[in-house]
Every structure is written in structure tokens, then in C-alpha cells.
Amino acid sequence: MKVLVTGGLGFIGSHTVVELQNEGFEVVIIDNLSNSSEDVLKGIVAITGKTPIFEKMDLREKPAVQNFFKKHHDVAGVIHFAASKAVGESVENPLLYYENNISTLVYILQELQKKPEAHFIFSSSCTVYGEADKMPITEDASVKPAISPYGNTKQIGEEIINEVCKVSNINSILLRYFNPMGAHPTAEIGELPLGVPQNLIPFITQTGIGMRQELSVYGDDYPTPDGTCIRDYIHVVDLAKAHVVALQRLLNKKNIDKVEVFNLGTGTGSSVLEVINTFEKVSGKKLPYKIVGRREGDIISAYANTDKANQVLGWKAQSTLEEALSYAWKWEQKIRS
């Protein structure tokens, strides 16, 4: 069965391709390599022994999307990762985000709408909850006004999918991730941020390896046990496996509603200082860091209630924070060696 993975050479996309191939799916990747590298294909092949089909193209080009679906008319499901995802950049360049994250979604759904039936998994984010009223966050928590164009594109994307599925043969699952991190245990694929990392974990590993002088901790005066922000860090392989389970749910027609929503996290919140201390423990390295002022747009705390994903999807995160950090460190050492 053929599955399209857009953004399939990116961090989460590549790990999902591995899990799909391990489950026997034939995978086609679309990626424009704007935030990824073709070298990732080698890592996927090294792990799975199979080469996915790779189409280098930009989903913002509508005729290219139309031609793709004519060529690959037998695509049974789509997992849509391709999107820009840096909050700060989205504030500076909102139109890039609206074009890249919204128009591409529309073009894919237009093609899927032509099929007798279609199955669509959307890469969403806990960003849609904003500063939630209570922890842990359930799928029923209210969607708050977005605090960045990036967050807004995820909310708008979810709205578009809901409206399209009502009037078409498309069934969809929206997966709201918390904080993906780590790397494949083989260290064949992992997170490859271009330039200065926007996320905590690659900044930690780059500081650990000596690429960065020190880590900045944005604020230690939050109303949390140690004053630093709390997040739910989920290992990328656990996250990837959830996409396969979600797709199988749609393909096997187990979904109850046309559009279903699931939180993907561990259910445990870890503070920035806890993550630093855990990294020091697994790596044996002392991590230089300094406390700096709060960063605009950072929320105090966000961690998932995972009951729905555990019970309805039958999926549960397996890796501990220690394990996931050890994989991230192994990957960092490999790519710098």
C-alpha cells in the first residue's frame, strides 16, 4: 500500500518513513529540501534496507502537486508534515508561513477530494492550546487565539481540514504534538537544524559537543517548582509510531468521526533545568548555561493528557527522557565526528 509522506526527509518525517517501511508500506516522499538534506535517505535505507521513492518538489507549485497525484494515483494515504515551524521566524515573516503552511495544505486536499476515498494525517501542534487553563491538557481544551503566525497556521489548517472532510470523502486524524526530541537509536537519522537551533534539545547537544559556548535559559522566575518553563518531551520514534497507528486506524475504517484529534506526548512535564540535569547525567558532561530574560511568546507549562491516544489509538510513548536524550547525544557525537 502506497503512502505519501510530505516533508519526509525532515526530523519527524524521516523517522515516520522508517516506521512505515518497517510495517510494510511503500513510501513516497515529497520534500523541497528547504530544511532537510537528501543525505537523510541513506540513513532511512541503512535502518530499513528499503529505498523510498523520493520526489524533490515544492508543494507551493500547484501544477506540480496535480502532476504528482496523476503519476501516483494509487496513493492510499497521506501524512502531511511539510511546513515551516520556527515561531520567531513566523513573527518576522508571516507571509512565508501562510503561503508555505496553508496553500500547500489546500493543494493537497484539492487532489484528495477527487478520490473516491482518502485518508489524511495532519501534523498539528499543542501550540493550538496556547496557555491552557489547566494541566494536563486534554483534546477538549479550548483552542486559544494564536500567539504567533506559526501557531495560527496550525489552527487554520485544522479548521480547513474539518470543513473539507464534512463535504468530501476525506477522513482525517489531527495529531497535536508536544515537544518532539531525540534521534533514532541507530544514530542513522536525527534532528539536523540548519543554523542556530530553535529547539532546546539540539541546543543542549551542540553545547555539550562544544559547538555553542553556552546555553541560554529563558527565565527562571516562572511559577514552576524551579522557575523554568515546563514542557512534555516526547521521543521522535514514539511520535513516528503514532502516525503509523493513526493511518492504520483510517485505512481499517476504525475511526468514529470524519475528523479525530489526538494529543501526542508522554503525559509528564519536565522543566528546562530538569532536562539540563538529565543530559549531564547521560552524557557525563557539565553543561555551561546562563539565565537570561524571558522570551516573548513562551508559555509557562504545557504537558499532555494522553488518555485518549492510549485508549482509543492504542498507542503509548515508551522512551524515558533519559533514553531519548542519550539517543540525541549519540546522534550529535556521530554527526560531529
Side-chain angles (χ1 to χ4, degrees):
M1 201 171 270
K2 191 187 276 186
V3 177
L4 165 62
V5 180
T6 72
L9 295 181
F11 177 40
I12 306 168
S14 59
H15 286 81
T16 302
V17 170
V18 163
E19 297 306 322
L20 286 164
Q21 292 195 159
N22 286 343
E23 285 291 315
F25 287 98
E26 181 188 358
V27 179
V28 190
I29 293 170
I30 288 177
D31 205 300
N32 68 356
L33 305 179
S34 63
N35 196 28
S36 57
S37 161
E38 207 167 333
D39 289 345
V40 175
L41 278 171
K42 295 175 195 158
I44 293 170
V45 176
I47 298 167
T48 64
K50 292 181 226 166
T51 308
I53 301 164
F54 172 50
E55 300 266 5
K56 182 177 185 267
M57 59 178 275
D58 194 322
L59 289 165
R60 290 175 293 186
E61 294 166 9
K62 187 174 181 174
V65 179
Q66 292 170 326
N67 290 334
F68 173 87
F69 279 96
K70 282 188 190 118
K71 181 177 171 185
H72 297 281
H73 54 84
D74 53 344
V75 163
V78 176
I79 303 181
H80 183 45
F81 293 107
S84 301
K85 63 177 181 59
V87 170
E89 183 187 46
S90 79
V91 174
E92 290 160 20
N93 194 349
L95 286 177
L96 169 73
Y97 275 67
Y98 289 113
E99 182 190 30
N100 208 25
N101 296 7
I102 303 298
S103 67
T104 55
L105 172 65
V106 169
Y107 298 158
I108 292 168
L109 292 175
Q110 283 173 334
E111 297 310 303
L112 292 183
Q113 201 168 237
K114 296 171 187 174
K115 289 176 167 287
E117 65 172 37
H119 310 96
F120 187 75
I121 308 292
F122 182 60
S123 163
S124 192
S125 167
C126 65
T127 305
V128 301
Y129 299 118
E131 187 76 70
D133 298 324
K134 62 176 184 180
M135 294 292 140
I137 301 169
T138 66
E139 288 82 355
D140 299 331
S142 59
V143 169
K144 297 285 181 69
I147 51 176
S148 70
Y150 162 71
N152 203 25
T153 64
K154 289 301 177 192
Q155 290 185 10
I156 294 167
E158 288 195 3
E159 288 167 11
I160 290 169
I161 293 162
N162 272 295
E163 286 161 1
V164 172
C165 288
K166 269 184 211 163
V167 295
S168 72
N169 290 320
I170 303 171
N171 285 275
S172 181
I173 291 179
L174 314 176
L175 297 176
R176 292 175 177 164
Y177 318 156
F178 280 69
N179 291 65
M181 49 85 73
H184 199 270
T186 60
E188 291 290 349
I189 56 174
E191 193 165 5
L192 264 177
L194 300 180
V196 179
Q198 301 279 341
N199 297 335
L200 177 64
I201 308 304
F203 213 114
I204 282 177
T205 57
Q206 287 186 10
T207 306
I209 208 99
M211 262 185 83
R212 309 274 162 210
Q213 200 174 352
E214 63 183 358
L215 179 72
S216 293
V217 175
Y218 296 101
D220 63 350
D221 56 352
Y222 285 96
T224 62
D226 64 19
T228 63
C229 292
I230 290 174
R231 297 290 181 269
D232 187 337
Y233 294 95
I234 174 171
H235 186 218
V236 65
V237 174
D238 285 332
L239 192 65
K241 287 178 174 170
H243 290 75
V244 181
V245 173
L247 181 65
Q248 287 167 329
R249 179 174 171 82
L250 292 182
L251 292 169
N252 297 328
K253 300 186 168 34
K254 296 276 178 67
N255 53 308
I256 295 156
D257 299 309
K258 293 274 290 175
V259 180
E260 295 183 326
V261 181
F262 296 95
N263 284 338
L264 297 182
T266 64
T268 303
S270 302
S271 74
V272 175
L273 290 180
E274 280 178 297
V275 175
I276 290 171
N277 294 336
T278 307
F279 174 78
E280 289 182 336
K281 185 174 156 192
V282 301
S283 68
K285 294 248 175 212
K286 194 80 188 121
L287 208 64
Y289 69 87
K290 66 174 176 189
I291 307 293
V292 297
R294 291 187 183 193
R295 188 168 53 179
E296 195 181 341
D298 273 346
I299 57 176
I300 301 161
S301 181
Y303 54 98
N305 179 316
T306 60
D307 291 351
K308 188 178 175 189
N310 299 163
Q311 292 156 18
V312 180
L313 271 188
W315 165 91
K316 193 172 181 21
Q318 302 295 328
S319 292
T320 64
L321 181 65
E322 273 189 28
E323 287 166 341
L325 281 168
S326 71
Y327 300 143
W329 180 232
K330 185 178 169 188
W331 164 250
E332 187 71 54
Q333 289 173 299
K334 183 193 171 182
I335 57 176
R336 306 300 166 200
S337 61

